[in-house]
């Protein structure tokens, strides 16, 4: 659990002259602000709370043993109490006297007044003797007895509903119109001992809390059983990886008398307010230094009393004289106790955004949508409406990668309408993708960026992620049905090369397999510098390093990397995982070797090899605008403008270390394996910046060349020839290469980094518009100067802004082939080839290579073509089922050392994440330290 600021509690009043021993129970009068308090010091006390918050003692009476329960009569004239002395007593306010009115054969755990009709009332007492007895104060013997299956641990009454929680997890429901019979008996939905129960104010159900740090919401009638759910709370996730969560008992449940929301409090010393109907945590506070055994709302819910006192959960040894023992009075706020408004578009409308350019009229919606009610999981979205509509409506969904990196990188540094000039000022992005398409940025999976989830419920596998994302799409489009029938394009970069195909496949499978489910038209996928085929892409680090002069292939440093590659391949031969520790070490080895080779104290930027960064960040401090992103997204006014839920409790960070360290995808197939199936139904565009190392274009092109789809391998056609690589010019400059065949388009961007849209927003929008088949000649607009193969395509809306580009160096294909061959030879692969295939096999191989080259002789190659000669070498409450209020303490970030860890593919430009209610001063440093030990390099 994160350390959170409890500033909202600084004005809470401490009750004067509290009990001398632990507090066991509290109850407010329904007529005035009188608070009754039961204590282990064998005494009952009544306090009056004045309007200024001061308290005055009004009465006190004693039991012969600890007092365990108390309750006010409906008319506020009497207080009942029961205790370990097996006696029930009633104090009369008017006379100031108490008398014993009830007796059991074992301690009385709970007392409640019940309505007996005709203005009279009875006292119900529940005991460890396995009975509930009903007492008329005019008689010495009980008027009736209810036998129970076990000892009474908790009991509550509202109207004609009585709920009794007993030992062995029995829950007994009693209709008080027939008080001697049990209406229903069932096992608690929670797995461990019941600690507390509380009835809904309207009597339709109840909440139950247990020692396992979990709460359940249960309805009485069979017709309402679908509304039942459970959620985790009062749990603490240690900072260390693979450490078990600390689980605390839920000691107290209290319902607000007017709003029907409720509170939980526990042995961890925290309390939280919840809305059961929206399955949402309204507000939560961090541990206060002592367990909380009891809580209570006053008659109108404006005061919340909570006891900081020992609950005996750790034995008598812990109950020292120094242990806190006090009652605090908290003035409630609407945001804490009022039900959450039902989700509607107006709730998500962004009315204004700090720092917007003057005259900006972009229509925006933003906020959190629950996708995992059981674990308080919600995804954050930021939607921008398109500026113009071409021939039809289109929506582009953008995702960044990591795993664990926020799509706010894409929104504020790449393809969104605005970029940050500084931490206070937004400027328009002339290459924004919202020109002819609605833009939807989503922080996912849960726990990333402004999204959140219980800290022990981060996702592990890609199918889980896709299922949750489909839930998000259903809820988003239900709220914004005007976009539901758009042509939907899913775009992103880096590790989103896994996310995007998995999401598309989930939609594709549902469209085909469930005619009754909502169908979406996935019109295409766009993946930049994607991490899709680990086995092939790990193998591309050395060729890329040699061709770019990052390593000298004859050096000892290169030999060390080649040895690491051998270990990687041996591990991959056993089983291919999306992330592999030994293979991630290859990139780390390249970075270290380059540092030694150049005798540098700094490090190569793995996202743009033209740049350098401090060691061991190696690019994690890039791009420069990251320094503006986190401060901006942590501004309270920005958080408010973007409608961030209060459940998001930690500050925004670019990459969330806890998500990265959990999302290993060890049982998920690489997306490359089913990309061919997707290509049957939808076009796919892969693009790559040629200066990126971590997800470099050599590996992507090798993957394409070896992949079979729609009847052929690679870019081969029916005539046996490969599709031509067409040179692409933009604004009179050589911009890259285009190649297309059978629904797959590949674009290599010259002089561009891992985050291509960051470098060339106008060029990427030109690529997007071509892919979406936008032709502004039919609607009017200013066209860009963009030519493929010397020919101008359909007029695009991008007004080109010329940028200086370095001239392309001479064709390096032959040099790269030789460098790669030598690398494999030194790694031991050539020897293996000769042993297994022999000279004849080698001759056949060379013959085939030459045939391929002859077939492709017409391909246009850029002078910077780095390819191989063969061709492209490639709760909270559910929110409620939240465990503990989700404090993503580790949410701060993945930027850290590569030492002792592998690489993580970054997908976005924005840096750190933010949470509406503040964050720890040391979160960034802590997460960076954790990253060094536990995560891979980020593929943003």
């Amino acid at each position: 659990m994160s350390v959170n600021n409890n500033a909202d509690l600084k004005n809470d009043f401490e009750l004067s002259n509290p009990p001398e021993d632990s507090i066991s129970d509290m109850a407010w009068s329904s007529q005035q602000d009188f608070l009754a308090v039961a204590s282990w010091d064998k005494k009952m006390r009544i306090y009056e709370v004045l309007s200024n918050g001061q308290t005055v003692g009004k009465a006190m009476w004693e039991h012969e043993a600890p007092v365990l329960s108390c309750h006010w009569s409906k008319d506020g004239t009497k207080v009942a109490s029961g205790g370990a002395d097996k006696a029930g007593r009633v104090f009369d306010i008017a006379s100031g006297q108490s008398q014993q009115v009830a007796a059991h054969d074992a301690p009385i755990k709970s007392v409640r007044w019940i309505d007996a009709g005709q203005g009279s009332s009875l006292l119900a007492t529940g005991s460890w003797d396995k009975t509930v007895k009903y007492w008329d104060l005019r008689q010495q013997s009980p008027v009736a007895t209810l036998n129970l299956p076990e000892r009474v641990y908790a009991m509550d009454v509202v109207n004609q509903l009585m709920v009794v929680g007993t030992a062995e997890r029995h829950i007994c429901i009693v209709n008080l119109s027939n008080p001697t019979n049990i209406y229903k008996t069932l096992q608690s939905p929670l797995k461990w001992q019941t600690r507390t129960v509380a009835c809904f104010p309207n009597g339709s159900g109840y909440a139950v809390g247990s020692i396992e740090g979990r709460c359940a919401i249960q309805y009485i009638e069979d017709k309402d059983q679908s509304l039942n759910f459970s959620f985790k709370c009062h749990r603490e996730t240690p900072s260390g990886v693979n450490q078990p969560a600390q689980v605390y008992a839920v000691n107290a449940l209290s319902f607000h008398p007017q709003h029907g929301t409720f509170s939980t409090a526990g042995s961890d010393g925290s309390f939280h307010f919840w809305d059961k109907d929206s399955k949402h945590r309204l507000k939560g506070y961090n541990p206060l230094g002592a367990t909380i055994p009891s809580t209570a709302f006053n008659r109108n819910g404006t005061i919340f009393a909570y006891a900081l006192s020992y609950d005996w959960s750790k034995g008598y040894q812990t109950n020292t004289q120094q242990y806190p023992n006090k009652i605090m009075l908290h003035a409630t706020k609407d945001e804490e106790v009022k039900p959450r408004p039902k989700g509607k578009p107006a709730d998500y409308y962004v009315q204004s955004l700090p720092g917007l350019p003057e005259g900006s009229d972009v229509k925006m919606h933003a906020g959190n949508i629950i996708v995992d009610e059981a674990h308080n999981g919600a995804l954050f979205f930021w939607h921008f409406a398109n500026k113009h509509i071409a021939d039809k409506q289109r929506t582009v969904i953008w995702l960044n990668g990591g795993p664990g990196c926020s799509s706010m990188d894409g929104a504020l540094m790449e393809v969104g309408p605005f970029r940050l000039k500084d931490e206070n000022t937004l400027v328009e992005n002339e290459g924004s993708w919202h020109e002819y398409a609605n833009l939807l940025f989503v922080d996912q999976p849960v726990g990333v960026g402004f999204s959140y989830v219980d800290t022990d419920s981060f996702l592990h596998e890609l199918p889980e992620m896709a299922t949750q994302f489909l839930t998000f799409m259903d809820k988003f489009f239900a709220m914004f049905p005007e976009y539901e029938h758009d042509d939907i394009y899913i775009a992103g970069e880096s590790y989103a090369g896994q996310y995007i195909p998995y999401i598309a496949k989930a939609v594709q499978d549902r469209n085909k397999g469930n005619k009754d489910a909502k169908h979406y038209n996935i019109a295409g996928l766009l993946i930049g510098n994607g991490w899709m085929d680990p086995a092939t892409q790990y193998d591309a680090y050395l060729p890329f390093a040699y061709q770019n002069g990052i390593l000298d292939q004859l050096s000892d440093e290169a030999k060390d990397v080649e040895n690491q590659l051998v270990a990687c391949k041996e591990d991959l031969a056993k089983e291919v995982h999306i992330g592999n520790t030994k293979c991630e070490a290859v990139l780390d080895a390249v970075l270290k070797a380059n540092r030694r080779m150049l005798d540098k104290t700094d490090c190569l930027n793995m996202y743009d090899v033209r740049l350098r960064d401090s060691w061991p960040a190696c690019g994690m401090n890039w791009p420069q605008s990251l320094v503006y992103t986190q401060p901006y997204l942590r501004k309270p006014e920005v958080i408010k403008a973007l409608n961030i839920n209060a459940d998001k409790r930690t500050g925004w960070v670019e990459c969330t270390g806890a998500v990265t360290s959990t999302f290993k995808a060890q049982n998920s197939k690489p997306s490359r394996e089913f990309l061919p199936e997707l290509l049957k139904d939808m076009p796919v565009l892969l693009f790559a910046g040629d200066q990126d190392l971590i997800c470099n274009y050599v590996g992507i092109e090798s993957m394409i060349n070896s992949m079979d789809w729609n009847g052929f391998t690679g870019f081969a056609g029916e005539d046996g020839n490969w599709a031509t690589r067409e040179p692409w010019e933009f604004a009179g400059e050589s911009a890259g290469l285009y190649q297309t065949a059978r629904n797959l388009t590949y674009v290599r961007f010259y002089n561009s980094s891992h985050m291509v849209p960051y470098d060339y927003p106008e060029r990427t929008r030109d690529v997007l518009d071509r892919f979406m088949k936008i032709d502004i000649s039919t609607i009017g607009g200013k066209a860009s100067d963009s030519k493929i193969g010397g020919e101008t395509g359909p007029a695009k809306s991008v007004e080109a802004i010329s940028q200086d580009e370095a001239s392309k160096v001479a064709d390096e294909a032959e040099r790269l082939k030789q460098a790669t061959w030598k690398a494999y030879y030194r790694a031991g692969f050539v020897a293996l080839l000769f042993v297994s295939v022999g000279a004849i096999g080698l001759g056949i191989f060379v013959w085939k290579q030459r045939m391929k080259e002859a077939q492709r002789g017409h391909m246009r190659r850029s002078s910077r073509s780095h390819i191989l000669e063969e061709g492209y070498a490639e709760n909270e409450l559910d929110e409620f089922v939240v465990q503990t209020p989700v404090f993503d303490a580790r949410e701060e970030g993945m930027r850290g050392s590569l030492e002792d860890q592998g690489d993580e593919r970054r997908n976005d430009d924005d840096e750190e994440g933010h949470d509406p209610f503040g964050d720890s001063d040391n979160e960034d440093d802590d997460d960076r330290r954790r990253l060094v030990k536990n995560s891979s390099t980020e593929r943003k």
Side-chain angles (χ1 to χ4, degrees):
M1 183 180 294
S2 64
V3 177
N4 201 42
N5 186 353
N6 286 338
D8 288 350
L9 305 181
K10 65 182 180 181
N11 294 323
D12 290 359
F13 286 93
E14 183 175 349
L15 185 141
S16 302
N17 301 312
E20 299 168 359
D21 202 343
S22 297
I23 296 149
S24 55
D25 198 13
M26 298 186 295
W28 289 92
S29 168
S30 63
Q31 303 300 313
Q32 50 196 328
D33 286 334
F34 282 8
L35 179 65
V37 179
S39 171
W40 282 75
D41 66 4
K42 307 179 186 180
K43 295 180 176 66
M44 277 293 307
R45 293 171 175 84
I46 296 177
Y47 300 87
E48 181 182 6
V49 179
L50 305 178
S51 59
N52 62 2
Q54 298 302 309
T55 56
V56 178
K58 300 295 289 185
M60 181 174 68
W61 67 98
E62 295 192 28
H63 280 248
E64 296 179 0
V67 189
L68 303 179
S69 179
C70 60
H71 196 240
W72 284 84
S73 62
K74 187 175 181 180
D75 61 7
T77 63
K78 299 178 179 64
V79 178
S81 56
D85 58 358
K86 309 176 188 177
R89 305 187 69 86
V90 169
F91 180 84
D92 183 81
I93 300 296
S95 67
Q97 300 296 314
S98 71
Q99 62 175 338
Q100 180 174 343
V101 299
H104 279 265
D105 296 330
I108 295 175
K109 182 60 175 69
S110 186
V111 297
R112 289 294 185 272
W113 294 95
I114 65 174
D115 187 359
Q118 299 180 340
S120 63
S121 59
L122 297 176
L123 179 64
T125 55
S127 169
W128 290 354
D129 65 8
K130 305 182 184 180
T131 67
V132 170
K133 295 182 180 181
Y134 304 98
W135 304 87
D136 185 331
L137 303 189
R138 298 167 294 183
Q139 301 179 27
Q140 293 186 346
S141 300
V143 297
T145 298
L146 175 68
N147 292 309
L148 299 168
E150 259 294 350
R151 293 154 290 166
V152 174
Y153 282 174
M155 183 172 76
D156 197 21
V157 172
V158 166
N159 302 327
Q160 294 299 301
L161 171 67
M162 183 167 72
V163 178
V164 184
T166 77
E168 303 301 330
R169 299 174 45 245
H170 297 293
I171 302 291
C172 300
I173 312 297
V174 180
N175 183 339
L176 290 174
S177 62
N178 187 10
T180 57
N181 290 315
I182 297 175
Y183 176 66
K184 282 184 179 180
T185 299
L186 58 146
Q187 285 285 302
S188 168
L190 308 180
K191 298 178 181 179
W192 297 89
Q193 182 188 100
T194 299
R195 179 60 64 88
T196 179
V197 297
C199 296
F200 300 171
N202 64 5
S204 64
Y206 59 95
V208 56
S210 74
I211 63 170
E212 71 201 70
R214 188 181 283 270
C215 184
I217 298 297
Q218 297 287 297
Y219 286 80
I220 303 300
E221 301 303 331
D222 292 342
K223 64 182 179 62
D224 297 325
Q225 295 306 296
S226 62
L227 301 176
N228 295 344
F229 65 92
S230 301
F231 63 96
K232 299 172 187 174
C233 52
H234 302 283
R235 299 188 175 198
E236 180 178 348
T237 301
S239 58
V241 175
N242 298 323
Q243 295 292 319
Q246 298 298 311
V247 179
Y248 299 90
V250 179
N251 288 332
L253 296 163
S254 299
F255 275 91
H256 193 281
Q258 294 184 354
H259 300 312
T261 54
F262 71 101
S263 65
T264 63
S267 294
D268 60 339
S270 72
F271 65 90
H272 307 269
F273 300 109
W274 310 87
D275 179 358
K276 65 178 176 60
D277 296 325
S278 64
K279 298 181 179 179
H280 177 76
R281 182 177 57 188
L282 298 167
K283 191 71 176 284
Y285 294 99
N286 278 2
L288 297 167
T291 59
I292 301 179
S294 180
T295 60
F297 285 103
N298 72 336
R299 53 188 167 145
N300 56 16
T302 58
I303 302 174
F304 178 72
Y306 58 97
L308 293 171
S309 179
Y310 189 52
D311 65 358
W312 301 95
S313 58
K314 295 184 178 180
Y316 71 90
Q317 299 94 334
T318 308
N319 190 23
T320 63
Q321 290 184 347
Q322 292 74 36
Y323 201 92
N325 193 67
K326 58 186 177 180
I327 295 172
M328 304 299 296
L329 303 175
H330 174 70
T332 59
K333 301 176 181 178
D334 285 350
E335 67 189 47
E336 296 173 323
V337 296
K338 275 195 172 182
R340 184 181 181 186
K342 302 298 181 184
K344 52 185 182 295
D347 297 331
Y348 294 92
Y349 182 64
V350 179
Q351 297 184 0
S352 64
L353 190 64
L356 271 181
E358 185 176 353
S360 175
D361 60 354
V362 181
K363 181 181 177 183
M364 295 177 281
H365 289 84
N368 296 99
I369 290 179
I370 300 298
V371 294
D372 181 2
E373 294 180 348
H375 302 93
N376 191 39
L379 297 183
F380 171 76
F381 74 90
W382 193 353
H383 181 269
F384 300 87
N386 53 23
K387 291 174 65 175
H388 307 97
I389 300 175
D391 54 325
K392 55 184 174 180
Q393 280 276 20
R394 298 169 172 87
T395 287
V396 173
I397 299 173
W398 176 274
L399 307 173
N400 280 99
C405 296
S406 169
S407 294
M408 297 306 95
D409 276 6
L412 292 176
M413 288 192 286
E414 298 188 86
V415 303
F418 309 110
R419 293 193 177 187
L420 282 162
K421 178 181 178 181
D422 52 48
E423 63 183 60
N424 299 306
T425 310
L426 295 166
V427 295
E428 290 188 1
N429 174 13
E430 295 298 329
S432 171
W433 285 16
H434 82 306
E435 185 80 16
Y436 292 109
N438 303 296
L439 267 181
L440 177 60
F441 299 91
V442 185
D443 275 347
Q444 70 86 48
V446 287
V448 170
F450 282 132
S451 296
Y452 56 84
V453 73
D454 293 345
T455 52
D456 65 352
S457 297
F458 296 117
L459 301 187
H460 298 81
E461 300 292 340
L462 285 158
E464 291 179 289
M465 175 279 305
T467 297
Q468 282 196 353
F469 199 87
L470 200 51
T471 298
F472 166 82
M473 291 178 66
D474 289 343
K475 291 190 173 185
F476 175 85
F477 289 115
M479 193 178 311
F480 300 96
E482 62 270 31
Y483 304 120
E484 179 180 342
H485 301 292
D486 286 10
D487 280 359
I488 296 173
Y489 296 84
I490 309 178
E493 66 191 22
S494 200
Y495 198 89
Q498 297 296 334
Y499 295 152
I500 293 169
Y502 265 89
I503 292 168
K505 184 176 185 298
V507 174
Q508 182 187 59
D509 290 347
R510 191 170 80 170
N511 285 351
K512 293 179 179 180
N514 188 346
K515 64 179 182 180
D516 297 324
K518 187 178 293 185
H519 288 196
Y520 300 110
N521 177 31
I522 304 299
L525 311 178
L526 300 93
I527 302 172
N529 288 85
W531 187 248
M532 296 169 285
D533 184 5
T536 301
Q537 292 181 268
Y538 284 132
D539 201 26
Y541 285 143
L542 264 178
F544 183 89
Y546 290 156
Q547 77 174 31
N548 283 277
I550 296 170
L551 291 180
D552 179 350
Q553 63 197 53
L554 300 178
S555 67
D556 291 338
E557 288 84 3
K559 184 175 181 180
D560 291 341
V561 178
E562 289 166 4
N563 290 336
Q564 186 63 56
L565 181 60
V566 172
C568 164
K569 287 178 172 290
E570 290 175 348
D571 215 38
L572 289 175
K574 301 173 186 175
E575 189 173 8
V576 175
H577 294 298
I578 294 171
N580 180 291
T581 302
K582 290 184 179 179
C583 293
E584 294 288 339
V586 175
L587 177 58
D588 195 17
V590 170
L591 297 172
K592 290 178 180 178
N594 173 262
R595 190 165 176 251
R596 291 195 303 270
M597 184 180 75
L598 299 179
D599 193 23
K600 296 282 188 178
T601 58
D602 61 1
C603 181
L604 184 75
N605 183 335
M606 66 185 122
Y607 305 115
D608 189 335
V609 297
R610 297 167 296 185
L611 306 174
R612 300 193 71 80
D613 194 2
S614 61
W615 176 267
C618 302
M620 296 303 293
N621 296 315
W622 172 90
Q624 291 182 342
S625 55
L626 276 175
V627 298
Y628 306 138
T629 307
Q630 175 170 319
Y632 180 78
L633 291 176
R634 289 190 169 206
K635 290 179 178 292
E637 58 270 31
V638 173
I639 296 164
K640 182 177 180 180
L642 295 178
N643 306 306
I644 309 300
N645 282 355
D647 288 341
K648 174 59 181 173
R649 304 189 58 79
T650 56
W652 183 91
V653 290
E654 184 195 14
C655 299
T656 303
V659 174
T660 302
S661 62
T662 304
F663 199 99
K664 296 300 185 183
Q666 289 299 294
N667 299 309
S668 303
K669 295 180 179 179
S671 61
R672 178 240 191 263
E673 293 191 18
F674 53 84
L675 192 59
E677 188 67 24
L678 294 174
L679 282 162
K680 293 179 182 179
D681 292 343
M682 63 192 71
V684 175
L685 187 145
L686 305 179
F687 63 92
D690 66 358
Q691 299 301 306
D692 176 32
L693 167 61
I694 191 169
C695 299
N696 62 70
Y697 79 90
V698 174
I700 294 170
E701 293 178 2
S702 294
M703 178 195 74
I704 294 172
N705 278 355
S706 63
M707 186 170 66
D708 296 327
W709 79 93
N710 290 340
F712 298 91
T713 300
F715 278 119
E718 294 184 4
D719 58 359
N721 293 323
W722 279 42
T724 303
R725 291 185 182 180
E726 302 283 0
W728 172 35
E729 293 184 3
F730 187 89
E733 297 181 353
S734 180
L737 296 172
Y738 257 84
Q739 195 167 17
T740 302
R742 309 184 313 281
N743 247 6
L744 178 64
T745 297
Y746 172 70
V747 183
R748 189 200 304 173
F749 280 80
Y750 292 152
N751 290 334
S752 188
S753 67
H754 183 73
M755 301 169 70
V756 178
Y758 173 77
D759 300 322
Y760 297 115
E762 296 89 353
R763 295 182 186 186
T764 58
R765 195 173 81 210
D766 180 72
V767 169
L768 172 71
D769 288 348
R770 286 180 182 274
F771 187 64
M772 296 192 305
K773 297 181 171 56
I774 301 291
D775 186 351
I776 69 167
S777 64
T778 62
I779 57 176
K782 193 169 185 178
S784 63
D785 178 14
S786 177
K787 298 178 181 180
I788 296 177
E791 297 182 2
T792 302
K796 301 293 178 288
S797 61
V798 179
E799 180 180 358
I801 298 177
S802 177
Q803 301 188 35
D804 292 333
E805 291 187 28
S807 60
K808 306 301 175 198
V809 297
D811 190 343
E812 299 173 339
E814 181 62 29
R815 184 175 72 82
L816 176 59
K817 175 183 176 183
Q818 296 302 324
T820 305
W821 184 259
K822 291 179 181 179
Y824 288 163
Y825 183 84
R826 294 184 64 173
F829 295 115
V830 171
L832 178 61
L833 177 65
F834 275 74
V835 169
S836 25
V837 179
I840 294 177
L842 178 62
I844 294 173
F845 173 79
V846 172
W847 176 79
K848 286 184 176 180
Q849 292 301 108
R850 291 178 177 175
M851 289 299 294
K852 284 185 180 178
E853 290 176 10
Q855 291 173 348
R856 294 181 224 161
H858 61 281
M859 288 202 305
R860 301 171 184 269
R861 293 176 179 261
S862 161
S863 60
R864 291 200 56 154
S865 174
H866 304 322
I867 60 168
L868 298 177
E869 280 295 316
E870 295 95 325
Y872 277 122
E874 247 235 298
N875 16 234
E876 286 198 0
L877 259 196
D878 251 58
E879 256 191 324
F880 246 8
V881 168
V882 83
Q883 325 173 142
T884 261
V886 174
F887 295 160
D888 297 347
R890 298 172 290 174
E891 207 141 88
E892 282 280 354
M894 311 229 10
R895 16 182 67 82
S897 169
L898 292 174
E899 201 139 49
D900 303 331
Q901 55 192 45
D903 318 353
E904 203 177 307
R905 292 41 179 169
R906 296 178 76 160
N907 278 24
D908 284 25
D909 298 352
D910 287 357
E911 231 203 80
E912 314 215 340
H914 162 261
D915 198 307
F917 287 105
D919 55 281
S920 164
D921 292 338
N922 297 320
E923 284 184 59
D924 288 339
D925 292 339
D926 290 346
D927 250 357
R928 287 189 175 97
R929 285 192 288 269
R930 276 191 288 273
L931 177 64
V932 173
K933 287 187 175 182
N934 306 317
S935 77
S936 315
T937 304
E938 292 181 336
R939 295 173 170 89
K940 298 199 236 186

